[in-house]
Amino acid sequence: MTVKAMTSEQLTKKIINKEPLFLLDVRNESDVQDWKIEGEAIEYVNVPYFELLDGVEDMVENVPADRDVLVVCAKEGSSIMVAEMLSEAGRTVHYLQGGMKAWSEHIEPVKIGDLTGGGELYQFVRMGKGCLSYMIMSNGEAAIVDAARMTDVYIHFAKKHGVTVAHVFDTHLHADHISGGKKLAEQTGAVYWLPPKDAEDVTFDYKRLEEGQRMTIGAATIDIHPLYSPGHTIGSTSFIVNDQYLLSGDILFVDSIGRPDLAGMAEDWVGDLRETLYKRYTALSKDLIVLPAHFMIMEEVNEDGSVWKELGVLFEENHGLNIEDEDVFRQMVTQDLPAQPNAYQDIRQTNMGKLNPDDETQREMEIGPNRCAIR
């Protein structure tokens, strides 16, 4: 038997469709504990590669013959070797093409809905990293929000739909992934917008994204007034699109809220975070569909692979929105926080234009899950 590659796109579709999958991860246990592939229908087993160097005879009986089997490693080399050994032992096996590095970079477009003023809104789901970005399209134009560094996916998607990218926005200065915003604007000739309070130390030109502005994309209006929404960063800005959608950046997620500590300013920004969530957001329509910039757990992913929930539902279900005591809230968001994102200080510096790492270094900087939420 020969082993076949499974692409990250094929794996994403299997996870969304909840197709049964036996996943053998041959990375070291510490790497698996930090970050792994998750899905409702995945049976997950970790056996480090070095334990299989003498053969797979001791474990082959535990590898099912009645469902797809996928072997995963960091870059694919070790998974190919293990997959070949399992194949020789009589199992039909795939390996993940490009390994976890490829899984981290794959982006899947999902249509969220039509805009009342004409147009469409798409969410770009980076399943392996938990990052979410957006394209708003109307009458031949497009705006992109919180683009990943893999900009080709947006360019190809825009071309496929016959739209020109006119505006590129970042809701804030990102710390968990390298923004593709500036690069994408340069590639497409679009205007690049940043909140000025997050951009005081950037080394490049940008357009100031401030309250009171109103922008039109074809027939679709992006109204950013009055959604200056600090807390995750001091400049964090949310967008309301056509009175239908709330793009919340890293302030509010489906299952959690944003952390204020990634610029070392947790004590200073916790008050801003509470005011945004408990005052600015409570004044908005509860019918708005909240579209965050990240998700943390697979339970946040809907049946079609999208990530969203109505604002009114989040006020009922999201624990971070239901802490009456300010001292309790302050303690929750400043103490006992989860581990910080991998290389987050270098990522911030890169997003400011102060560092210019090569492509491979950028991949290494981003390896691992996003950690922008308080859980």
Side-chain angles (χ1 to χ4, degrees), residues 164-282:
T164 299
V165 179
H167 298 278
V168 178
F169 302 94
D170 269 318
T171 55
H172 63 286
L173 185 75
H174 296 280
D176 75 301
H177 70 277
I178 296 168
S179 168
K182 177 176 175 289
K183 176 183 175 183
L184 183 59
E186 292 172 347
Q187 289 175 314
T188 61
V191 179
Y192 180 45
W193 300 81
L194 265 178
K197 290 187 177 182
D198 275 5
E200 292 178 354
D201 295 322
V202 303
T203 63
F204 47 81
D205 293 332
Y206 66 95
K207 196 82 168 178
R208 294 168 65 90
L209 179 62
E210 299 178 299
E211 281 191 359
Q213 293 165 320
R214 193 176 182 91
M215 299 162 199
T216 299
I217 309 300
T221 298
I222 302 175
D223 184 2
I224 66 168
H225 176 82
L227 286 175
Y228 169 56
S229 45
H232 177 64
T233 66
I234 196 59
S236 290
T237 301
S238 308
F239 302 142
I240 288 180
V241 179
N242 270 26
D243 295 321
Q244 295 173 268
Y245 302 101
L246 170 63
L247 274 64
S248 58
D250 281 356
I251 285 292
L252 177 62
F253 308 113
V254 168
D255 191 54
S256 52
I257 59 175
R259 60 193 296 172
D261 66 309
L262 296 183
M265 302 290 286
E267 293 291 342
D268 295 297
W269 293 351
V270 60
D272 294 309
L273 179 63
R274 185 170 178 88
E275 182 169 345
T276 292
L277 294 173
Y278 285 70
K279 292 183 179 179
R280 294 176 185 268
Y281 275 14
T282 56

